[in-house]
Amino acid sequence: MEAKATKWNVDPTHSEIIFKVKHLVISTVTGSFKKFEGSVETNNENDFDGAQVNFSLDTASIDTNTKDRDTHLKSEDFFHSEKFPNLTFSGKLKKASGDNYKLVGKMTIKDNTKDVEFTAEHGGTAVDGYGQTKAGFEITGAINRKEFGLTWDAVTETGSVVVSNQVKLQLNVQVVKA
C-alpha cells in the first residue's frame, strides 16, 4: 500500500523568523521578518524524514526595531525589496537521529540561489484545542550574506567592520496539517 502524502502549512501566528548579525564586531543586532508562508509535504502522515519544504518570506517585512535601519535594509544596498520582494527556500528534511534533522535545499535572495543546510529539531506533534494537528520545529543555522548579493559594506574610521558577513538564523516554526 502506497503512503499518502500529507500537506502541512506554516502557522504564522505561532512561528517566528529571527536573525542575528554582528555590528561593529562588538555587539549583535537582532531582527525578524513579520510576513512569511510555507508548507511541508510528508510522504507518510507524521514521518517528516524526506519531507519536501517550501518557504517564502516578504523581505519588506523586516523589523529590527529601528525604522531607519529597516529602511536601509529594504533598499538597494541590501534586500532591494521593491525589485526582489521575496526570499525563498526549497528543500528537504533528512532525519539525522532521534528528533534531529538536517534541512537541506536551495535558498534564493536577490536572484542568487545557493545550497544551504540548517539543523532542525522536531519538538513534537500535538492536537490543539480546535482539533488541528500541529508539529513544531526549531531550525538554526547561518549564511554568508555576501554569497546572496547582500554586499553593502562599510568600515569605521578605526577599521572596524560595520556589518559582519555571517548572519545567524533561528526559525521557530509550527505547521498545521491541512
Side-chain angles (χ1 to χ4, degrees):
M1 185 173 184
E2 191 174 312
K4 181 179 178 247
T6 302
K7 186 170 181 179
W8 302 71
N9 294 311
V10 170
D11 177 357
T13 60
H14 295 105
S15 301
E16 62 183 354
I17 302 169
I18 299 166
F19 65 88
K20 296 176 182 284
V21 64
K22 287 286 188 188
H23 181 253
L24 299 175
V25 190
I26 59 167
S27 65
T28 301
V29 170
T30 301
S32 63
F33 291 93
K34 301 299 184 189
K35 293 181 183 174
F36 49 87
E37 62 185 20
S39 65
V40 176
E41 192 168 300
T42 57
N43 295 322
N44 190 358
E45 197 164 348
N46 294 320
D47 180 4
F48 290 94
D49 189 26
Q52 176 65 42
V53 177
N54 291 296
F55 188 82
S56 176
L57 67 77
D58 177 352
T59 60
S61 74
I62 196 164
D63 183 0
T64 63
N65 291 318
T66 304
K67 188 178 181 199
D68 288 346
R69 179 172 46 222
D70 294 346
T71 299
H72 188 208
L73 290 168
K74 294 173 198 177
S75 77
E76 290 180 38
D77 283 347
F78 285 96
F79 286 107
H80 197 177
S81 296
E82 191 174 305
K83 183 175 180 182
F84 305 103
N86 298 307
L87 175 158
T88 61
F89 172 85
S90 180
K92 289 195 179 293
L93 278 169
K94 295 182 179 181
K95 192 163 190 101
S97 66
D99 292 330
N100 297 310
Y101 293 79
K102 292 292 180 192
L103 178 59
V104 295
K106 296 194 178 296
M107 180 180 282
T108 302
I109 304 173
K110 290 177 73 172
D111 278 350
N112 295 288
T113 301
K114 300 289 177 198
D115 290 325
V116 294
E117 181 176 305
F118 303 112
T119 300
E121 182 181 349
H122 180 217
T125 303
V127 177
D128 70 9
Y130 301 100
Q132 297 178 311
T133 302
K134 297 186 173 187
F137 291 89
E138 185 173 311
I139 302 161
T140 56
I143 61 168
N144 180 328
R145 68 182 178 87
K146 287 192 171 181
E147 290 179 355
F148 292 94
L150 305 174
T151 57
W152 180 88
D153 251 333
V155 177
T156 66
E157 289 178 18
T158 58
S160 294
V161 174
V162 175
V163 180
S164 71
N165 293 340
Q166 184 188 57
V167 179
K168 294 180 183 178
L169 302 171
Q170 181 176 349
L171 290 75
N172 297 304
V173 179
Q174 191 174 103
V175 291
V176 182
K177 190 183 290 185

